[in-house]
Amino acid sequence: YQRRVRGTLSTVEPSPPRTLITGSLGQLGLTLAKEMRQKYGRDRVVCTDIRKPPKTVLQSGPYRYANILNKGGLEEILVENRIDQVVHFSALLSAIGEQNVTLALQVNIEGFHNIIDLCRTHELKLFCPSTIGAFGPETPRNPTPDLTIQRPKTIYGVSKVYMELLGEYYHHRYGLDFRSARFPGIISATTPGGGTTDYAVQIFYDAIETGHHECFLAPDTRLPMMYISDCIESVIQMMECPAENLTQRTYNISAFSFTPEEIVAEIRKHVPLEVTYKIDPMRQKIASTWPQVLEDSNARADWQWDPKYSLEKMVPYMLDKVRLQLAKDVPPPKELF
């Protein structure tokens, strides 16, 4: 917008958005907060979770306790901190969700409903990640397009389809600026949190610590993956994209796909590694219903999605990050950049 200064018109840049991140002590939250604080300002990003944070988190910027099942408490934080946009990371992941369906329903569905309702009330932009777990065995697996049969077979996947559809409904019915990206497996040096793709993180720890990894998926199980740097950039990029450029509310995004035996081969180029396979029937069953390759041309066209890391480029970075994490000898989560 413009304002008059001493008889002339001067363009005033809009203030950077004030962002609230739920579930910020998980795999993605602190790294996103660090990037956003560098870009928008330290006090313009408020981290929230239900756990007591490490001192490093408290020293890095605003942190608030927030239970997403407490709608009134959430609203108080949104209003008091003059929040403009929400990144909603709080969720129970696929394998953990199957072990506690009731809690998964509360966190993934009731919690999301509280968030989206408050964003509608206060006219906030909302980003909530979806997942390859939103697809099911009837879905075309290679490649998997944006718009296709979904029908997931886990409560995690069911809750994410609910999230996608409710977000799209709120957009069309109320004008809510809802945005979502279907994440593949995310690889970072943060300790795994109960997902079906966790082996792709644990294998780096095992390579450094013991030289042996016991894999819970079959060696030929192909799944789409992404390094955390690209994942964080995708959130910022999608949130900053002008609304008129978006032709849909939920997009596939991906960087590369691999099998356990392929990542083993790549790691062995850098360090010795022995691998045995002890298949986890539940996780293998879940993985067998998920896409092998995500088709993400719409994201590339609409908001210039362009991942920087290939499997070959990611592996040495991950080995270095894991060595650093182990050397710190402090509990995760950590800011890993």
Side-chain angles (χ1 to χ4, degrees):
Y1 65 97
Q2 292 182 320
R3 68 179 180 185
R4 188 168 294 278
V5 180
R6 294 184 180 180
T8 63
L9 284 176
S10 173
T11 300
V12 178
E13 292 294 327
S15 298
R18 300 183 65 88
T19 305
L20 180 96
I21 303 174
T22 70
S24 67
L25 297 185
Q27 184 186 22
L28 305 178
L30 293 182
T31 308
L32 177 64
K34 182 176 181 179
E35 292 296 303
M36 282 189 160
R37 283 168 175 161
Q38 290 176 350
K39 190 176 182 70
Y40 304 136
R42 176 185 182 276
D43 294 331
R44 304 191 76 86
V45 179
V46 180
C47 290
T48 69
D49 212 307
I50 59 172
R51 290 182 283 150
K52 180 181 177 181
K55 287 183 179 180
T56 53
V57 173
L58 294 175
Q59 293 165 353
S60 65
Y63 178 89
R64 300 289 183 271
Y65 172 87
N67 184 337
I68 60 170
L69 300 180
N70 181 348
K71 188 175 181 181
L74 278 172
E75 187 164 30
E76 184 176 339
I77 294 171
L78 291 171
V79 172
E80 286 187 348
N81 291 277
R82 306 187 310 282
I83 297 299
D84 302 306
Q85 60 184 27
V86 176
V87 177
H88 180 49
F89 280 154
S90 293
L92 256 64
L93 301 183
S94 55
I96 297 298
E98 291 306 290
Q99 296 169 19
N100 195 334
V101 172
T102 299
L103 183 60
L105 286 169
Q106 290 176 327
V107 173
N108 296 359
I109 292 184
E110 293 178 32
F112 172 70
H113 190 266
N114 287 339
I115 291 287
I116 196 171
D117 217 30
L118 290 171
C119 287
R120 173 202 166 195
T121 298
H122 296 283
E123 298 181 344
L124 311 180
K125 184 186 295 185
L126 173 60
F127 177 88
C128 185
S130 190
T131 168
I132 54 174
F135 299 107
E138 296 86 1
T139 302
R141 299 185 67 205
N142 189 355
T144 300
D146 280 316
L147 186 61
T148 186
I149 297 169
Q150 292 187 251
R151 302 189 65 80
K153 299 298 186 284
T154 65
I155 193 60
Y156 177 60
V158 169
S159 67
K160 286 299 185 179
V161 172
Y162 170 85
M163 177 273 295
E164 292 180 13
L165 295 177
L166 191 66
E168 186 170 338
Y169 174 80
Y170 268 56
H171 172 71
H172 292 297
R173 179 69 174 81
Y174 303 115
L176 176 70
D177 191 350
F178 169 83
R179 304 175 181 208
S180 182
R182 294 189 186 112
F183 288 166
I186 304 301
I187 301 176
S188 76
T190 304
T191 303
T196 301
T197 57
D198 280 358
Y199 87 89
V201 174
Q202 187 62 46
I203 195 170
F204 287 96
Y205 278 89
D206 292 344
I208 298 299
E209 291 188 289
T210 68
H212 175 261
H213 174 70
E214 184 175 85
C215 187
F216 56 70
L217 293 182
D220 60 349
T221 305
R222 182 172 302 281
L223 291 169
M225 302 279 186
M226 182 189 301
Y227 187 49
I228 189 171
S229 300
D230 282 330
C231 177
I232 297 305
E233 179 59 28
S234 76
V235 177
I236 295 173
Q237 196 174 347
M238 192 178 190
M239 289 294 273
E240 290 184 342
C241 180
E244 60 270 19
N245 291 4
L246 301 178
T247 59
Q248 54 201 58
R249 307 320 301 177
T250 299
Y251 290 82
N252 288 346
I253 61 169
S254 190
F256 44 80
S257 294
F258 59 75
T259 65
E261 59 187 1
E262 287 171 351
I263 193 172
V264 168
E266 196 61 37
I267 291 172
R268 283 174 176 165
K269 294 178 182 178
H270 304 273
V271 295
L273 177 63
E274 294 297 322
V275 177
T276 55
Y277 292 90
K278 184 179 180 181
I279 309 304
D280 178 337
M282 182 183 72
R283 281 174 163 166
Q284 185 64 50
K285 184 177 180 181
I286 292 171
S288 298
T289 70
W290 284 0
Q292 295 178 334
V293 176
L294 285 176
E295 201 285 308
D296 60 1
S297 59
N298 290 326
R300 294 172 186 264
D302 290 359
W303 43 280
Q304 288 70 59
W305 163 241
D306 184 22
K308 302 299 186 292
Y309 285 85
S310 63
L311 174 61
E312 294 76 15
K313 184 177 179 181
M314 177 200 71
V315 166
Y317 273 85
M318 268 295 292
L319 290 169
D320 287 344
K321 296 298 181 184
V322 169
R323 289 188 185 102
L324 178 62
Q325 181 81 330
L326 292 171
K328 287 179 179 178
D329 194 30
V330 289
K334 289 294 162 202
E335 296 177 354
L336 297 167
F337 284 1

